[in-house]
Amino acid sequence: HGCGVAHKEGSTKQQVYRTPENITGRYTDWCDPCPHPRPTWDGLPVSWGKRALVNPPWGMIRPWVEKALQERENGCEVHMLIPPTTSTTTWHDLIFPQATRIIFLRRYTPYLRVSDGKTVAMPSCIVTFDGLSW
């Protein structure tokens, strides 16, 4: 299942975090355009179909939100598991004006850090962009 890629502050080293199974279990038949282990294909240029759960690289969320909005125009319902960094331009320019629903997860979400197998709890939310069908 998907992975968020975060950059350690003050470092260029990437950390890969797997999407928690208690979340992916609710999306078993949904497209995962950013799976782990990382595939040879890129999830940004491909179609996401009718429903997608996306846990994008947390260090570069904007292109994934832009893609989610394109997919929504094609009728895809997109749920994005992202950090609630609500002061960013991505949130103000794209998410707040266009999200159908934002669910701030009550507790810190436990992610498995791939590099060492440790669980790391981080704040998270699920942003929904409902598919538009004309």
Side-chain angles (χ1 to χ4, degrees):
H1 289 283
C3 61
V5 179
H7 292 276
K8 205 172 184 185
E9 200 168 326
S11 168
T12 58
K13 184 178 179 188
Q14 290 186 355
Q15 293 288 337
V16 176
Y17 298 91
R18 291 193 60 172
T19 306
E21 289 183 23
N22 67 329
I23 293 174
T24 59
R26 298 172 188 228
Y27 297 93
T28 55
D29 60 341
W30 291 47
C31 173
D32 183 353
C34 191
H36 179 78
R38 203 158 188 195
T40 55
W41 51 270
D42 181 354
L44 284 173
V46 301
S47 170
W48 294 354
K50 293 293 178 198
R51 299 186 301 177
L53 170 65
V54 186
N55 180 5
W58 284 19
M60 58 173 246
I61 290 174
R62 190 177 187 100
W64 292 91
V65 173
E66 290 168 347
K67 172 66 172 178
L69 294 172
Q70 290 173 359
E71 290 296 315
R72 179 192 65 181
E73 295 293 325
N74 295 329
C76 183
E77 177 182 348
V78 180
H79 290 198
M80 299 192 80
L81 180 64
I82 60 175
T85 51
T86 58
S87 63
T88 65
T89 58
T90 299
W91 275 84
H92 284 270
D93 295 350
L94 302 174
I95 296 172
F96 284 134
Q98 300 198 53
T100 308
R101 185 171 46 259
I102 302 169
I103 300 170
F104 294 94
L105 302 180
R106 183 172 283 244
R107 293 178 175 77
Y108 277 48
T109 306
Y111 293 87
L112 177 70
R113 186 168 49 210
V114 173
S115 63
D116 61 8
K118 292 190 190 255
T119 299
V120 178
M122 296 183 278
S124 304
C125 65
I126 297 175
V127 174
T128 299
F129 298 104
D130 281 338
L132 301 177
S133 52
W134 302 102

